Amino acid sequence: MDAIRLLHISSINKLSLCLAVCLWFCGVPVWAGQQSFTPASEEDILDLSLEDLLNVKITSVSKKAQSLSDAPAAIFVITSDDLRRSGSTCIPEALRMVPGINVARIDSNKWAVTSRGFNGRFANKLLVLIDGRTVYTPSFSGVYWEVQDTLLEDVERIEVIRGPGATLWGANAVNGVINIITKHAADTQGGLLALGGGNKERAFAGARYGMALGEGTYGRVYAKGFKRDEFVHLEGGDAGDDWDMLRCGFRVDSRLSGRDALTVQGDVYKGNINQTLELPTLTAPFSQTFKDKADVEGWNVVAHWQHTLSPTSEFTLQMYYDRTDRDEEFEHEIRDTYDIDFQHRFAAGDRHDIIWGLGYRYTSDDFSNSLVLSMDPDSSSDELFSAFLQDEITLIKERLWLTLGSKFEHNYFSDSEFEIQPNARLLWAPHPKHKFWAAVSRAVRTPSRIEHNGKVVTAVLPLDPPIVLTVVGDSDYDSEELLAYELGYRVVPAKSLTMDFTVFYHDYDKLRSSELGLPVFDGVSIEQPLWFDNELKGEIYGVELATVWQAADWWRWDLAYSYLETDMDTRNAQDKAQNSDGPQHQVSLRSAINLSSDLDLDIWLRYVDDVKTVSGNTMSLVDINDYLTFDVRLAWWPHKDVECSVVGQNLLDDKHPEFVQESFTLPTEIERSVYGKLTWHF
Amino acid sequence: MEKLIRVCLLMLCLLISIGLPADICAGTVKEYSVKAALVLNFARFTDWPTDAFADSPETFIICVVGDNAVWEAFAGIEGKGVKGRRIVVKRVRRMRKFCVCDLLFVSGSDRHRLPKIFAAVEGKPVLTIGEMTGFTEAGGIVNLIRTENRITFEVNPDAAQQAGLKISSRILKLATIVSGSHGEEFK
């Protein structure tokens, strides 16, 4: 992997160029911003008449630059404005702005996304929800990010909670929860058409139409599609990872009565995901590299009913069905999930706010086994029962709150014990501009299907007889456990400046390790199994900082910094190679400038430190160098309903590697991308 | 690590280069300052029933649902007079406190909390002011709407009447009139 190191190019010249460009732009808005004038100032606005107030020109200074969350947890919110101005064309790319989250693109159609360490294509300690629907797959407890999408213009916000969120969210919310929330149908009335294309984003189009369907009932339908180009292999040559996807969906929000609200929504998608695979074979040359096409499709429907019993009591009932179908060379998986959740929130006395809930999930899968990946049995179903109870207690009014709660889970398939995941959180607000919080929580990651029933052939050594290296699941494999300690401080140190600090210490036990099994000779080859085991302990600690500074009405800065230290207590080198390492430092700096009332400029600078990724073939770690890059977006509004934008991504290098998948794909580099986009609201 | 240092240097240069141009754009006014001023006007041009202030004859209580940014803007109208009473701004976190309010401002666009809010103020003389699509149709009295860079508003006179409030024609003639009520179920 020295080749990766060689790619570390000096970027001093490019950096100085960037600096010059930035400095040039700095000067521009000083005059460009001062176009709209009214006689009123903040002080004498209260003396204006009603008629005059309606004529005052307002600026919407980002609320983010002044708001402090009341949540006693490490939370970061990507607003719809952040999303638009990021220039991101898909959800994982936008997550790069969140402190504590590591996003690494593996190739054109694969991402490794994690919160607080342990990154991988199959990163398994993160819970991702889209409008309450869980989208991680229990097959490996990870997320196929390439199929998690919607019309980004319809996304209201993305809430990212780092650290355990198990009490309220449940299964798999070990290191973090990503909650993608789409807009209420009343907020997406009218039409929208977005079209564009570029060198890597070959072509994309999205359309939405929303209308009132009756009194208190609103609906919308959308459709989108894209075709993305391939990247290049690290060793040279096209990576053959171009892909395309079509998706459409609807959402209806209805106020059935003064106390009942109903939401029904659904999506359907279909895509062709090309990839170059390097799979082991039992005959010489024992490895085969070829182009493959993964056919992915799925659909879901979600119903959510909210009923208000009294001013201090309400319940929600949510049901969904989700189907995913993924067919690629080494596996074909079909999964159906049925889920029902009930939550009741009420106030008890003057000081207690209680929320409790019950959940049931049924999921069944059907695998078509191959030499490389097989499940035994190849078809299985699983039931998950859960309950939770949480009480937010006001200890001192307007000052001090204590939240105590726990989730209780029982999983039939994993046959694991009854899991209890409690947490205690304290929020202290000595002043509206200063908030402190502290939390202690326990979370578990229940075993995935592959960890119990799977068998993966990672490599075949060309000896006589050939040695087949396999990783084999174990039905005794147990849940991984985490005890997390977190401290946070949010402050408004000066006007239009907010800072959000978090310090955390995660203490893990029973993490996945591997144990050499006894070799078996079947007459042709020797199989050398590695069994999954729970023998690894480890600590991860770090600091996360999110800062927003509204330097002027027309200029906002967003800085995110993450520091991460991984300390695994390993018995031997094989264990270490179960978990990726780093990056130790990550910086995201965004500058959003309104050059004039119809021109926006966004610059997004990112630094990601060295990463060590796991190689499944050799069970060793592969070094990926640190990288620095930036995106620029320029948007012009020729008319109030039309936006034309040009976005350049990863501009500092022609290409750089960010991650190498654990197995089966060749190291791929992320290329510079430029695209144009036209958005029309009607 | 070397690159990280470069990032820090670059940031520093950028920060210095802008030279702290605080409030350079003095010509426009922040959205929530205008909204707070509008709320003050709505309070002045609405008549409450005579017994509405029996509990606290000296004060006029404005409750604000929102974050510290909204709250800060509303702090600017604290102490001003409404019908001979002094305005007190209260930040409300919990629905059960709404009974003490004379006026309630609900910021944000979280519709899920509306049924609880309307249930809490049902039949009470509370002027409800919101800023989301459908606020008045759902039973709110006044809704502030942002259109480009100005604010307009809609009023639901039926809801005002149900609350026992009389809104001045001076307000009504500037408003878009909306009908709709949030249901009699809570009676």
Side-chain angles (χ1 to χ4, degrees):
Chain A
M1 282 303 147
D2 275 344
I4 299 180
R5 289 205 178 280
L6 287 174
L7 278 160
H8 182 101
I9 57 161
S10 162
S11 48
I12 289 176
N13 288 339
K14 285 176 179 170
L15 190 75
S16 32
L17 178 70
C18 153
L19 192 67
V21 170
C22 293
L23 285 174
W24 180 74
F25 276 120
C26 292
V28 175
V30 175
W31 62 85
Q34 302 199 30
Q35 288 184 346
S36 45
F37 269 93
T38 64
S41 78
E42 299 280 327
E43 285 71 33
D44 55 34
I45 185 120
L46 295 178
D47 300 328
L48 291 183
S49 71
L50 198 55
E51 290 79 2
D52 290 339
L53 278 172
L54 298 178
N55 282 317
V56 168
K57 277 201 173 179
I58 54 166
T59 51
S60 191
V61 169
S62 146
K63 275 187 73 185
K64 233 179 157 175
Q66 301 157 66
S67 307
L68 288 184
S69 164
D70 277 330
I75 187 166
F76 184 94
V77 177
I78 300 174
T79 63
S80 55
D81 196 46
D82 287 329
L83 201 55
R84 181 176 59 86
R85 299 197 65 156
S86 72
S88 301
T89 51
C90 51
I91 291 165
E93 289 295 317
L95 297 172
R96 293 179 191 270
M97 69 178 74
V98 186
I101 300 290
N102 177 225
V103 175
R105 197 162 181 171
I106 295 166
D107 62 25
S108 179
N109 57 54
K110 296 179 184 67
W111 282 266
V113 180
T114 193
S115 168
R116 295 181 176 172
F118 301 106
N119 206 2
R121 156 82 154 152
F122 304 108
N124 57 23
K125 294 174 183 57
L126 187 67
L127 175 63
V128 182
L129 300 129
I130 301 179
D131 287 328
R133 177 173 54 91
T134 298
V135 299
Y136 84 89
T137 166
S139 307
F140 60 88
S141 303
V143 177
Y144 286 114
W145 281 100
E146 64 273 26
V147 299
Q148 312 308 338
D149 195 13
T150 187
L151 191 69
L152 294 188
E153 285 83 356
D154 286 351
V155 173
E156 160 96 25
R157 63 185 189 278
I158 302 175
E159 292 177 354
V160 182
I161 300 155
R162 288 105 58 193
T167 299
L168 283 181
W169 305 103
N172 225 46
V174 181
N175 274 18
V177 182
I178 294 177
N179 207 355
I180 298 152
I181 297 158
T182 65
K183 288 176 181 167
H184 191 277
D187 293 327
T188 52
Q189 296 293 289
L192 175 122
L193 191 66
L195 297 168
N199 67 332
K200 294 286 129 188
E201 298 285 339
R202 294 304 289 272
F204 57 87
R208 173 248 292 153
Y209 192 74
M211 69 223 107
L213 301 170
E215 199 191 311
T217 301
Y218 300 89
R220 69 161 175 262
V221 288
Y222 80 89
K224 74 177 280 188
F226 61 79
K227 183 160 178 54
R228 296 199 175 114
D229 201 10
E230 59 192 335
F231 286 159
V232 288
H233 280 141
L234 187 64
E235 311 293 343
D238 291 337
D241 53 353
D242 53 316
W243 56 308
D244 57 76
M245 190 90 79
L246 275 174
R247 173 181 301 267
C248 59
F250 73 98
R251 173 168 171 155
V252 175
D253 286 286
S254 182
R255 189 166 49 78
L256 300 175
S257 73
R259 55 166 112 179
D260 292 284
L262 180 70
T263 302
V264 180
Q265 63 190 113
D267 306 87
V268 53
Y269 68 87
K270 186 167 173 47
N272 301 302
I273 296 178
N274 294 310
Q275 53 189 352
T276 304
L277 294 176
E278 186 186 36
L279 297 182
T281 56
L282 288 179
T283 50
F286 304 108
S287 166
Q288 188 189 3
T289 302
F290 60 98
K291 294 217 164 82
D292 178 44
K293 188 182 82 166
D295 293 312
V296 294
E297 57 184 73
W299 63 280
N300 65 78
V301 56
V302 184
H304 182 100
W305 172 41
Q306 179 194 349
H307 179 71
T308 305
L309 297 159
S310 79
T312 55
S313 173
E314 66 175 11
F315 70 77
T316 58
L317 184 65
Q318 178 181 279
M319 287 179 279
Y320 70 77
Y321 166 74
D322 181 282
R323 183 188 184 95
T324 62
D325 184 332
R326 184 180 184 89
D327 187 5
E328 54 195 320
E329 175 62 28
F330 58 92
E331 67 142 0
H332 181 189
E333 176 190 355
I334 298 172
R335 179 174 291 280
D336 295 289
T337 304
Y338 303 81
D339 185 284
I340 178 161
D341 268 294
F342 172 82
Q343 282 195 5
H344 179 206
R345 191 185 281 264
F346 65 99
D350 211 20
R351 292 183 180 272
H352 295 268
D353 283 276
I354 294 167
I355 173 166
W356 66 279
L358 295 169
Y360 171 74
R361 182 176 303 158
Y362 175 84
T363 179
S364 69
D365 60 41
D366 189 7
F367 282 87
S368 301
N369 288 337
S370 71
L371 166 75
V372 173
L373 192 151
S374 54
M375 294 281 191
D376 180 25
D378 61 1
S379 179
S380 173
S381 63
D382 182 20
E383 285 178 291
L384 176 77
F385 290 93
S386 63
F388 76 90
L389 174 65
Q390 177 171 296
D391 186 6
E392 187 190 306
I393 307 157
T394 307
L395 297 177
I396 303 171
K397 282 187 180 171
E398 305 299 316
R399 288 284 179 277
L400 192 63
W401 296 267
L402 173 67
T403 306
L404 295 173
S406 184
K407 182 108 181 179
F408 309 92
E409 266 183 355
H410 185 69
N411 193 322
Y412 269 90
F413 156 78
S414 70
D415 213 22
S416 58
E417 284 124 65
F418 185 67
E419 300 288 2
I420 300 174
Q421 305 185 68
N423 75 37
R425 292 171 186 274
L426 199 64
L427 175 70
W428 178 43
H431 184 273
K433 291 184 175 178
H434 296 268
K435 285 174 186 169
F436 298 86
W437 62 272
V440 182
S441 31
R442 178 183 190 269
V444 300
R445 184 183 69 82
T446 47
S448 63
R449 175 96 147 87
I450 200 164
E451 283 164 332
H452 267 175
N453 306 139
K455 177 172 157 182
V456 181
V457 174
T458 55
V460 178
L461 303 181
L463 301 171
D464 190 23
I467 298 178
V468 181
L469 300 179
T470 58
V471 176
V472 184
D474 181 352
S475 55
D476 289 333
Y477 186 79
D478 212 349
S479 296
E480 298 181 345
E481 297 177 356
L482 163 65
L483 257 181
Y485 305 86
E486 297 171 276
L487 280 176
Y489 173 45
R490 300 188 183 104
V491 59
V492 186
K495 206 177 176 190
S496 300
L497 178 67
T498 60
M499 304 178 101
D500 186 343
F501 300 90
T502 308
V503 182
F504 69 93
Y505 172 78
H506 283 193
D507 187 2
Y508 295 89
D509 197 5
K510 290 160 66 179
L511 284 173
R512 191 165 75 201
S513 58
S514 48
E515 192 185 343
L516 269 179
L518 287 174
V520 181
F521 182 57
D522 64 1
V524 181
S525 58
I526 298 172
E527 183 188 333
Q528 172 58 67
L530 267 180
W531 294 86
F532 284 133
D533 208 348
N534 295 94
E535 293 297 318
L536 192 62
K537 287 175 195 291
E539 293 164 4
I540 288 193
Y541 50 93
V543 178
E544 294 148 357
L545 164 68
T547 295
V548 186
W549 181 34
Q550 190 82 44
D553 286 349
W554 45 267
W555 198 354
R556 179 179 137 187
W557 291 87
D558 281 85
L559 171 70
Y561 168 74
S562 324
Y563 173 78
L564 183 82
E565 198 68 61
T566 309
D567 190 1
M568 291 292 141
D569 175 17
T570 53
R571 280 182 314 156
N572 57 48
Q574 280 166 347
D575 287 339
K576 176 103 180 164
Q578 286 290 329
N579 297 295
S580 64
D581 196 355
Q584 201 171 46
H585 301 277
Q586 271 196 119
V587 180
S588 152
L589 178 66
R590 288 179 295 146
S591 161
I593 306 172
N594 303 334
L595 293 174
S596 69
S597 59
D598 57 4
L599 209 56
D600 295 345
L601 174 70
D602 296 275
I603 299 169
W604 186 4
L605 194 70
R606 293 186 299 271
Y607 170 78
V608 180
D609 209 349
D610 304 340
V611 181
K612 289 181 169 63
T613 68
V614 178
S615 162
N617 295 357
T618 55
M619 283 293 163
S620 61
L621 291 174
V622 178
D623 288 313
I624 307 283
N625 273 117
D626 62 339
Y627 68 88
L628 174 69
T629 191
F630 72 96
D631 296 354
V632 174
R633 173 179 175 275
L634 187 67
W636 174 50
W637 299 75
H639 178 266
K640 71 180 172 56
D641 294 327
V642 179
E643 185 196 69
C644 309
S645 60
V646 181
V647 179
Q649 295 170 314
N650 299 310
L651 293 176
L652 209 54
D653 313 289
D654 343 323
K655 54 188 181 174
H656 67 268
E658 294 187 359
F659 210 80
V660 180
Q661 177 167 288
E662 291 88 330
S663 300
F664 309 146
T665 61
L666 300 172
T668 303
E669 293 193 83
I670 312 311
E671 289 185 276
R672 181 184 286 143
S673 149
V674 178
Y675 72 86
K677 182 179 177 184
L678 179 77
T679 313
W680 177 35
H681 297 263
F682 57 94
Chain B
M1 197 61 212
E2 211 176 293
K3 281 187 180 175
L4 182 67
I5 295 164
R6 276 188 231 150
V7 176
C8 296
L9 279 176
L10 181 68
M11 272 169 51
L12 198 68
C13 293
L14 285 172
L15 290 177
I16 293 166
S17 72
I18 60 170
L20 306 167
D23 281 328
I24 199 161
C25 200
T28 55
V29 181
K30 295 199 172 67
E31 182 173 345
Y32 283 96
S33 303
V34 177
K35 285 182 173 171
L38 280 167
V39 164
L40 177 66
N41 273 276
F42 293 137
R44 285 176 175 163
F45 293 107
T46 300
D47 288 329
W48 268 257
T50 43
D51 56 347
F53 306 103
D55 292 345
S56 50
E58 303 291 309
T59 54
F60 182 88
I61 299 172
I62 294 182
C63 297
V64 175
V65 177
D67 54 32
N68 62 306
V70 179
W71 195 66
E72 225 168 79
F74 275 78
I77 60 170
E78 180 134 37
K80 300 277 173 191
V82 171
K83 300 176 204 313
R85 295 179 179 80
R86 192 173 52 82
I87 290 180
V88 174
V89 178
K90 275 189 196 277
R91 185 176 183 184
V92 188
R93 277 171 57 94
R94 295 295 164 215
M95 303 302 163
R96 57 188 159 232
K97 305 271 182 61
F98 289 162
C99 50
V100 301
C101 314
D102 299 308
L103 187 153
L104 171 62
F105 179 74
V106 184
S107 84
S109 59
D110 185 4
R111 277 175 197 76
H112 294 294
R113 69 209 311 182
L114 287 186
K116 275 165 128 180
I117 291 172
F118 293 140
V121 301
E122 175 81 33
K124 298 192 179 78
V126 179
L127 179 59
T128 47
I129 304 180
E131 50 168 357
M132 69 184 87
T133 320
F135 184 79
T136 41
E137 285 90 340
I141 300 171
V142 178
N143 191 26
L144 305 178
I145 300 158
R146 191 177 165 177
T147 47
E148 289 188 67
N149 49 12
R150 285 192 176 75
I151 294 172
T152 59
F153 64 95
E154 16 173 77
V155 173
N156 180 344
D158 298 342
Q161 201 183 358
Q162 275 180 19
L165 303 176
K166 191 171 184 310
I167 294 176
S168 153
S169 58
R170 186 160 170 203
I171 292 180
L172 293 178
K173 70 173 198 255
L174 294 169
T176 309
I177 303 297
V178 173
S179 64
S181 85
H182 58 287
E184 299 62 42
E185 290 111 298
F186 288 111
K187 283 194 174 159

